[in-house]
Amino acid sequence: MPASLEAVVESVRRIEHREAWDLSAALPADVQRTREVRYLRARLALLVDRPADAIPLTEGLAELLPALRVEVLRLRAQALARSGRHAEARM
């Protein structure tokens, strides 16, 4: 049985980032593709030291979440830098 978004959120609330990351990876594909879950997974990826996983999650996300545009761009830059893609992170 796939994980539930509620279980992921509860893990985040308990500051169990690794558990939340693992649970989020088990969410149904259509849920994982939502902009909100992509944002959450990108943040979790950085928290569990998986910056390369955050990069594709943030692709085009700033346009999908205009209220969080600055935060998404910062998140993407951090993921790029921590993945060794420093030149791209400065763009």
Side-chain angles (χ1 to χ4, degrees):
M1 179 169 170
S4 70
L5 187 53
E6 293 79 16
V8 175
V9 170
E10 186 54 39
S11 292
V12 170
R13 285 186 180 137
R14 290 193 323 267
I15 313 173
E16 297 287 344
H17 299 134
R18 173 66 60 188
E19 177 181 292
W21 171 257
D22 292 341
L23 287 170
S24 72
L27 290 170
D30 61 323
V31 174
Q32 285 190 41
R33 286 190 296 269
T34 65
R35 61 190 178 185
E36 296 85 2
V37 172
R38 285 175 54 200
Y39 175 74
L40 174 61
R41 293 196 76 227
R43 290 198 54 171
L44 287 170
L46 287 181
L47 290 168
V48 299
D49 200 29
R50 296 185 62 132
D53 291 324
I55 296 168
L57 292 167
T58 60
E59 185 69 39
L61 194 56
E63 291 75 25
L64 296 173
L65 293 170
L68 296 174
R69 178 175 169 60
V70 172
E71 172 63 19
V72 171
L73 294 174
R74 183 192 62 78
L75 187 65
R76 182 170 178 79
Q78 285 181 340
L80 288 164
R82 288 178 51 191
S83 296
R85 295 166 63 177
H86 303 286
E88 290 175 80
R90 288 190 288 272
M91 296 177 133

